[in-house]
Amino acid sequence: MAPSPEPHVAPARPPLKEKAPPPVLTKAKPPVSVRVAQVFWILSLVAGAAGVVYAFIIRIAQLPAIEKLVKGVEAHRADSTYESAAQIVFWCIFGAMIAVVFLQIVFFVSFRNRRSSVRWWQFGTLFLQGIVLIFAHELVAMGDRGKPLEIILGTQYLLAIIALCVSLLPPALRWSARKYDIRRGPSA
């Protein structure tokens, strides 16, 4: 007689829960330094937008002063040449102010999305903004109506410098370097 087969034993069931839960992408709150930097960037953007609006409002009043400045370069041209040159000077400075605000918006969004090397681009924007501030001071922000424009643009520049400095603090640098927030296991 043949030996009787052993009763069939089922293999051990695999555990339903693994020891190491899978990583889960999550949206963690940024550190305080990042939030403060974002507030200063937003305030700088608001100041820049206010400067653009104010410059547009005072453009007609500022054109005679710009014409006088252009006439000081060479006084032997027709009046229409000075008017055209004053228009060109104003609109170039105005366009540069708009470009600075637009670039600040783009790099602010990049900063919020943790793009690499965005702080270098923001620094470049500060450099461009400083040049625009100098040219606006010398060519557009003249007289009593130009003084508030100079103050607004200076405030925008100062707020952007503070925002960049705060974004260079160690917690903000660690937050940017992480790229993604990962949580292990179920949410508590």
Side-chain angles (χ1 to χ4, degrees), residues 16-25 182-187:
L16 296 176
K17 188 174 181 184
E18 292 193 27
K19 293 180 182 179
V24 177
L25 289 177
I182 297 175
R183 173 179 48 84
R184 298 271 179 196
S187 62

Side-chain angles (χ1 to χ4, degrees), residues 63 66-68 70-71 74-89:
L63 286 176
I66 298 171
E67 284 179 36
K68 183 178 175 186
V70 171
K71 197 177 275 190
E74 186 175 337
H76 306 295
R77 302 278 182 184
D79 287 340
S80 62
T81 304
Y82 298 122
E83 291 171 11
S84 298
Q87 290 278 347
I88 291 170
V89 166

Side-chain angles (χ1 to χ4, degrees), residues 3-179:
S4 69
E6 291 182 23
H8 182 44
V9 179
R13 296 181 109 193
L16 296 176
K17 188 174 181 184
E18 292 193 27
K19 293 180 182 179
V24 177
L25 289 177
T26 184
K27 186 84 170 167
K29 290 183 180 178
V32 174
S33 58
V34 171
R35 289 180 178 226
V36 170
Q38 290 174 349
V39 166
F40 278 111
W41 279 116
I42 290 171
L43 291 175
S44 176
L45 287 169
V46 168
V52 167
V53 169
Y54 184 72
F56 185 76
I57 291 171
I58 67 166
R59 76 184 186 285
I60 295 173
Q62 292 301 97
L63 286 176
I66 298 171
E67 284 179 36
K68 183 178 175 186
L69 184 68
V70 171
K71 197 177 275 190
V73 174
E74 186 175 337
H76 306 295
R77 302 278 182 184
D79 287 340
S80 62
T81 304
Y82 298 122
E83 291 171 11
S84 298
Q87 290 278 347
I88 291 170
V89 166
F90 175 80
W91 289 111
C92 285
I93 300 295
F94 186 77
M97 290 168 53
I98 291 174
V100 165
V101 172
F102 176 73
L103 288 172
Q104 279 188 329
I105 291 170
V106 169
F107 297 136
F108 172 71
V109 171
S110 295
F111 176 71
R112 286 183 52 108
N113 291 332
R114 302 179 186 182
R115 299 286 187 241
S116 61
S117 303
V118 71
R119 287 178 185 87
W120 286 107
W121 290 103
Q122 289 172 328
F123 179 74
T125 305
L126 283 178
F127 183 70
L128 176 64
Q129 190 174 358
I131 292 171
V132 169
L133 178 64
I134 291 169
F135 278 106
H137 169 71
E138 292 296 324
L139 301 173
V140 176
M142 297 175 280
D144 293 337
R145 292 188 181 188
K147 191 67 173 167
L149 178 62
E150 189 176 342
I151 292 170
I152 291 170
L153 293 178
T155 302
Q156 176 193 13
Y157 191 59
L158 181 64
L159 289 169
I161 289 173
I162 293 170
L164 184 62
C165 289
V166 171
S167 74
L168 293 174
L169 294 175
L173 291 174
R174 283 191 300 271
W175 175 80
S176 293
R178 233 181 7 243
K179 296 282 186 208

